[in-house]
Every structure is written in C-alpha cells, then in structure tokens.
Amino acid sequence: QVMKIELLKRLMTALKGYKVYTLNTRVLRDGVETIIPADQVLYGDTLIVLAGEIIAVDGIIISGQTSIYQSVMTGESLP
C-alpha cells in the first residue's frame, strides 16, 4: 500500500508539467478549418495537425512531413 502511494505521488509530480487535453482535432471541411471533438471525425475528413498536437485518429499523411512520437502507443522507450 505504501509503495502504491509513493508511485502515485511520483506520477502526480511528473504530470504537473503537462496540459490536460480534451481530445479535439482540427478538421478541414468545405475549405473551412474547424476544431471538433475527435469522436465526430468522419471517414474521409482531412485533419490538420500542428507541431506538438496529439493525432486523434489513424490516417495517412497527404501533405507535409513530420516525425511522430509513437511510444505512447507502442511502449517503446525511444521515438
């Protein structure tokens, strides 16, 4: 029990520097950029992802280039 409390304290300290994200995403529909909840993204939508933003859904990069930090999904220690 003491170990769990200590781990929880460490986790809370580590998370203090992070923002709490609501899972929203930028979508381009009819030439207009709009921010919507991720659960309203439709098949075929074009998303706009800015540097440092969370990618809310699976997709294909159709323009631009980037490097994506995937360790949250894969569990790997290095990006």
Side-chain angles (χ1 to χ4, degrees):
Q1 191 70 344
V2 173
M3 181 183 261
K4 286 181 183 179
I5 292 171
E6 184 60 33
L7 288 173
L8 184 57
K9 285 181 186 177
R10 287 184 189 177
L11 177 62
M12 295 303 291
T13 301
L15 292 177
K16 281 184 182 179
Y18 291 94
K19 289 182 179 179
V20 175
Y21 290 97
T22 55
L23 204 50
N24 290 330
T25 191
R26 299 171 197 276
V27 65
L28 189 62
R29 288 184 180 160
D30 299 320
V32 178
E33 181 181 325
T34 309
I35 298 175
I36 62 170
D39 62 354
Q40 292 181 11
V41 173
L42 302 174
Y43 181 83
D45 277 344
T46 299
L47 276 57
I48 300 170
V49 181
L50 303 179
E53 289 186 332
I54 294 173
I55 301 172
V57 296
D58 287 343
I60 299 169
I61 298 172
I62 58 172
S63 176
Q65 60 185 16
T66 190
S67 176
I68 300 171
Y69 181 64
Q70 300 179 47
S71 70
V72 173
M73 297 176 283
T74 63
E76 296 175 25
S77 59
L78 298 173

